[in-house]
Amino acid sequence: MTISYRTTGTGDPLVLLHSGVADSRMWEPVTGELAKRFQVVAPDYRGFGRTPFQADEPYSDAGDVADLLAALGLRQARLVASSYGCEIALRLACAHPGLVTRLVLLNPGSDLPPTPDLKAFGAEEDRLIEAGLVDEAADLNVRTWLGPEADERAARELREMQRHAFTVQLAADPEPERFKPEVRLDQVHSPALVVSGAHDLPYFQQSARHLAAELPEAALVELDWAGHLPSVERPDLTLALLLDYL
């Protein structure tokens, strides 16, 4: 299966990996400027955006992205990832050491134990989904993941992306089986910029510091204005950060 993707621009390849609360559209506010310098590729994982939630055999999101890049003839690429996309980026860097030339990890998770804040969010999301309150679950995600700098347009678009993902994934019958390749941080030798938002959940702030300390070649940037999705909340400031590093 070939996952859907958006591509624009010319130059060195730059892959944008979306969060689990959005899809490839989350990158639209920064894509135009990035495309002036890079060939931008923004995939939708299975069950997100324009990619259906189906599989004939067990799959991994990292494997899907690797297959897409191979189909496009891209042997090396910079990766910019948000939240769940950071997990995919790290799995790609482990499984394909020569593929990833540089990493930007925006508010990544990690293998640290879940903290009370994350457990509380997950329990409430599960309660709403089990009760059939999909709109309310989407609203919960918007309140949780957007920082104070986000405007109403950003909230509206994020709500639509999350609700679409819920709808597609809940309708899957049978639900496809997904596996996750191993991540070993000591095997990720690509230079990495790890970004943390001061208004994000404590679990993700701790995870960012953990990854920055454990990755062989990483630097940590903490944004005092950001929540969990800086590229959605303040595209202008996030774009400047990306261009400076990339």
Side-chain angles (χ1 to χ4, degrees):
M1 174 179 178
T2 301
I3 56 177
S4 296
Y5 64 96
R6 302 164 188 267
T7 185
T8 184
T10 58
D12 292 337
L14 173 63
V15 181
L16 305 178
L17 300 173
H18 65 78
S19 78
V21 71
D23 55 51
S24 61
R25 289 174 289 175
M26 71 169 284
W27 300 113
E28 288 180 352
V30 297
T31 298
E33 288 300 315
L34 291 173
K36 294 178 180 178
R37 306 191 187 191
F38 302 99
Q39 177 189 355
V40 178
V41 179
D44 287 322
Y45 323 135
R46 301 191 201 212
F48 294 88
R50 298 175 296 178
T51 303
F53 194 41
Q54 60 189 41
D56 296 327
E57 58 187 10
Y59 77 97
S60 74
D61 290 318
D64 281 346
V65 174
D67 290 345
L68 171 63
L69 300 185
L72 294 173
L74 303 180
R75 296 183 177 181
Q76 288 189 321
R78 295 167 171 85
L79 304 185
V80 174
S82 174
S83 188
Y84 172 60
C86 299
E87 179 182 314
I88 297 174
L90 291 171
R91 295 188 195 283
L92 279 170
C94 285
H96 305 274
L99 175 63
V100 180
T101 60
R102 191 164 284 238
L103 284 166
V104 178
L105 305 174
L106 302 169
N107 294 297
S110 71
D111 59 359
L112 294 177
T115 48
D117 55 290
L118 189 61
K119 290 180 179 179
F121 164 77
E124 179 63 5
E125 184 184 58
D126 288 345
R127 183 189 71 81
L128 293 170
I129 291 295
E130 290 170 4
L133 301 174
V134 176
D135 287 336
E136 289 81 354
D139 288 339
L140 170 68
N141 276 271
V142 172
R143 292 195 305 272
T144 301
W145 303 124
L146 280 185
E149 294 291 313
D151 59 21
E152 181 51 40
R153 177 197 58 78
R156 183 174 60 253
E157 292 176 354
L158 187 67
R159 183 179 296 108
E160 194 281 325
M161 286 186 278
Q162 176 64 96
R163 196 189 190 292
H164 172 76
F166 280 148
T167 301
V168 171
Q169 293 167 22
L170 290 170
D173 185 21
E175 183 173 326
E177 182 180 348
R178 183 178 63 176
F179 67 92
K180 295 185 175 183
E182 182 183 16
V183 171
R184 290 191 55 182
L185 298 180
D186 61 348
Q187 294 183 355
V188 179
H189 295 289
S190 308
L193 180 68
V194 184
V195 179
S196 175
H199 298 277
D200 200 358
L201 297 186
Y203 168 78
F204 289 97
Q205 296 182 43
Q206 294 173 21
S207 292
R209 291 191 288 270
H210 170 68
L211 290 185
E214 294 296 323
L215 288 168
E217 191 175 347
L220 176 67
V221 172
E222 296 179 320
L223 303 178
D224 59 6
W225 53 267
H228 191 63
L229 301 169
S231 65
V232 176
E233 300 158 13
R234 286 295 304 270
D236 54 342
L237 297 181
T238 306
L239 178 64
L241 178 71
L242 295 178
L243 289 175
D244 181 62
Y245 183 73
L246 295 172

